[in-house]
Amino acid sequence: MLDLLAHPEVDLAHDLTRGYSYKGGHSAPSTIRPTDVFLARYALPDLTWRDLRREADPEVLILKEPREGPESGKRRIEFEDTGRTKKLRRDVERINCFLLKAPIFVLPGPPGGDLDTLGQPMDPLRRTVKRVFNDASWLKNGRLYGAFWINMPKVDRFQRLRLGSAAHPEGEPIVSCDFKQFNVRASYHLANQPVPPGDLYDIEGGGQNREAYKKLTNAMLNAGRRLKNLPRDVQFALPPGTKAKDAIAAVERHHAPIVHHFWTGVGFQLAAIESAILIDCLHALHKENVTALPLHDAILCPRSEASRVCDVMEIVSGLYGEGLRARPSIEECRLSSET
C-alpha cells in the first residue's frame, strides 16, 4: 500500500522511512508524508484536536520481558490476572479517571513546534497513563508513562502547560515537585543504614563534579555488572584523563555502607518504591481535587498548590519508612510567569 501511495502516477505520499520488526530486535514505524495532491483531495479544513477523540487503552499495566542483552527487555509479555494485578490496575484507572476530567490547558506554540522529545506530534488528547514494569516482575520499575506532558520538552512544559486550581480555575503556571537523591537514600533505607547528611552526590566535596558523580552513582545502582568504562556522558563531564576505576572507587568509598547494592541492578527496585509513593501521593491529592500530574519521578502541579503537594509527598514518603521521608524540592521556570 505504501508503494502504491508513493508511486509517481498516484502521487499521494512521499516515502520517508521504512520500519521493520523482528523477534528480539528493534522495531520502528514506516513513515510517509502526504503530497499536495493528497491534501487537496482529502485534508479537512480547519481540523483541530477538538474534532478528534482518543479511545481508552485496552490495558494500563505493561509487563516487559527480562533484560538479557542490549536489545532485550523491550517486548511486552502476557500475564494472568491476580489480586495484585487487579489492584495495580485499579490504582492506574483511578488516576486516569481524574486526568481525563482535570483542568489541563496548553498554550499555543510556534508554528511547527508541537513535537515531543520523541519527534512525534504532541497529542493533547493523550491524557491517560500506563504503568510499566520490567524484568517480568511487579517489583521493578512501575513508573507511569504515556500522557502527552511526559514527553513534552522541558522548556515547553513549563512555558506552555497550565493547570487549573481553586485560586485560578482558568489555569496557572506549573511547578515540578521532586524527591531529590531518592535512589541513594532508598539504597540506605534498604540496607537499614542511616542516610548521611548533606548532598549524597557530592563525592569530592565542595560540589566539584557533582553532576558527573550523580550520573555515575545512579549508573552503578542500575547496572547488573561492574562497568569497565565510564558512561559517555559521565566521561565527558569529568576532567580529561579521569580513569573509570578511580571515579568508581571514589563513589564506593563515599557510600561504603551500600557498596553491596552497586552492580546488582537494584535501580529498578528503587524506581518501584518511588513509583508506589508517587501513586499514593496522586491519589491523596486527587481526593483533595488538586490538579496533580505524574512525571516519572516527580509531580507537576499549579504553582499555588506547590506547598500542599510537598506536604503530602513528605507525609506519604514517611509512611514507607523514616529513611525515605524527605521534603521535595520545587522547580519552576521563571519565564512561565510571563504568559
Side-chain angles (χ1 to χ4, degrees):
M1 183 177 290
L2 295 180
D3 286 338
L4 181 59
L5 290 172
H7 193 281
E9 294 184 16
V10 178
D11 192 32
L12 293 180
H14 298 300
D15 199 355
L16 298 181
T17 63
R18 289 301 173 93
Y20 54 93
S21 178
Y22 56 91
K23 187 176 181 181
H26 288 292
S27 62
S30 296
T31 57
I32 60 174
R33 176 177 295 149
T35 63
D36 291 339
V37 175
F38 180 96
L39 294 174
R41 290 185 183 182
Y42 303 113
L44 298 176
D46 303 321
L47 183 67
T48 70
W49 286 109
R50 296 177 182 176
D51 300 309
L52 306 173
R53 71 173 185 181
R54 174 172 288 278
E55 294 294 328
D57 290 318
E59 178 58 87
V60 296
L61 291 184
I62 307 298
L63 186 63
K64 292 193 173 183
E65 65 183 357
R67 288 192 174 190
E68 298 176 353
E71 302 304 330
S72 63
K74 298 181 179 180
R75 289 193 308 149
R76 294 174 56 167
I77 59 178
E78 298 297 324
F79 61 88
E80 293 186 6
D81 251 339
T82 64
R84 182 191 191 95
T85 61
K86 290 177 182 178
K87 180 184 182 305
L88 291 173
R89 185 181 293 110
R90 286 196 301 270
D91 286 344
V92 180
E93 289 173 344
R94 282 175 59 191
I95 292 171
N96 285 341
C97 185
F98 180 91
L99 294 177
L100 286 171
K101 301 176 182 178
I104 303 172
F105 312 99
V106 183
L107 300 180
D114 277 347
L115 296 180
D116 62 22
T117 55
L118 302 177
Q120 299 298 313
M122 186 185 71
D123 178 0
L125 300 181
R126 189 181 286 276
R127 283 170 160 240
T128 58
V129 291
K130 301 177 182 179
R131 197 173 183 192
V132 179
F133 294 86
N134 295 86
D135 280 356
S137 171
W138 300 112
L139 299 176
K140 294 188 176 181
N141 193 1
R143 285 182 172 178
L144 298 172
Y145 299 84
F148 77 88
W149 56 84
I150 293 177
N151 288 328
M152 284 182 76
K154 184 176 181 179
V155 172
D156 285 354
R157 189 185 300 127
F158 278 110
Q159 293 186 351
R160 298 179 55 196
L161 191 62
R162 296 291 181 269
L163 300 180
S165 64
H168 300 280
E170 76 285 357
E172 62 173 288
I174 67 164
V175 298
S176 175
C177 303
D178 183 11
F179 290 122
K180 296 297 184 183
Q181 309 174 59
F182 181 88
N183 279 356
V184 183
R185 289 192 297 104
S187 293
Y188 276 91
H189 173 72
L190 289 180
N192 293 316
Q193 296 289 331
V195 180
D199 189 336
L200 300 177
Y201 294 129
D202 189 12
I203 304 300
E204 296 183 355
Q208 187 174 5
N209 300 313
R210 192 256 186 199
E211 287 304 309
Y213 279 108
K214 172 184 175 180
K215 295 175 181 178
L216 178 58
T217 303
N218 284 299
M220 292 167 63
L221 290 170
N222 290 329
R225 60 182 179 179
R226 194 174 190 86
L227 299 176
K228 295 181 180 179
N229 300 303
L230 293 174
R232 185 178 296 272
D233 54 348
V234 175
Q235 186 176 7
F236 288 144
L238 287 172
T242 302
K243 295 181 179 179
K245 65 177 183 178
D246 294 336
I248 289 171
V251 175
E252 291 178 332
R253 285 194 302 270
H254 194 79
H255 292 300
I258 59 168
V259 70
H260 59 287
H261 280 165
F262 295 132
W263 322 117
T264 64
V266 72
F268 274 151
Q269 184 180 350
L270 304 177
I273 297 172
E274 187 174 41
S275 69
I277 293 173
L278 288 179
I279 284 174
D280 285 352
C281 291
L282 290 170
H283 288 161
L285 291 166
H286 292 170
K287 190 174 181 179
E288 296 183 13
N289 207 32
V290 175
T291 310
L293 312 185
L295 182 65
H296 295 323
D297 57 351
I299 290 179
L300 304 178
C301 68
R303 189 162 55 193
S304 64
E305 302 279 16
S307 179
R308 178 57 185 150
V309 170
C310 288
D311 288 344
V312 170
M313 292 176 70
E314 183 175 3
I315 292 170
V316 172
S317 63
L319 298 178
Y320 281 75
E322 280 303 312
L324 296 177
R325 181 187 294 274
R327 185 73 178 178
S329 63
I330 299 174
E331 181 182 6
E332 62 180 309
C333 178
R334 295 297 179 185
L335 292 177
S336 64
S337 63
E338 299 175 3
T339 55

